[in-house]
Amino acid sequence: MTEAEIFQKTVQHMGEYLERDIVHLSMDSRLDAIAPDMDSLKLFEMILYLEDCFNVDFDQSSLGNIETMRDLVTYIESMLSVKDATV
């Protein structure tokens, strides 16, 4: 899966979770500013949702480094690569 495909799927899944249209997001969008009511708990729950959607695990120590959509997409891409390499 390419970076663009991961970005598109991530935006789609996040929109489903948040129940709102978020197609305006770019790779440089900050995760904490995606929605007006986005707090740390909602962000954490959304990450858990994305884990299920992509069938990957987010390392808790890495979560603090994920601030933008680019960070999130890069992390998902790396986890999918690791997963593919072990199959």
Side-chain angles (χ1 to χ4, degrees):
M1 195 179 292
T2 68
E3 182 180 85
E5 291 170 329
I6 294 171
F7 176 76
Q8 183 179 22
K9 284 192 169 291
T10 302
V11 170
Q12 176 188 345
H13 292 309
M14 290 168 64
E16 291 165 0
Y17 175 77
L18 296 169
E19 298 178 338
R20 65 180 69 209
D21 181 17
I22 56 171
V23 295
H24 64 280
L25 294 181
S26 72
M27 288 290 273
D28 296 320
S29 297
R30 292 191 48 82
L31 295 179
D32 59 0
I34 291 173
D37 58 345
M38 184 64 78
D39 60 15
S40 59
L41 178 59
K42 191 163 196 151
L43 182 57
F44 180 73
E45 289 172 343
M46 186 176 66
I47 294 293
L48 293 177
Y49 180 74
L50 290 174
E51 279 186 333
D52 291 339
C53 293
F54 286 100
N55 197 26
V56 297
D57 292 319
F58 283 82
D59 184 314
Q60 265 189 323
S61 63
S62 300
L63 290 179
N65 298 325
I66 299 175
E67 297 178 353
T68 65
M69 286 296 295
R70 183 178 314 282
D71 298 336
L72 181 60
V73 168
T74 300
Y75 187 83
I76 292 170
E77 184 176 31
S78 70
M79 295 310 297
L80 290 174
S81 295
V82 167
K83 187 175 150 186
D84 288 344
T86 59
V87 172

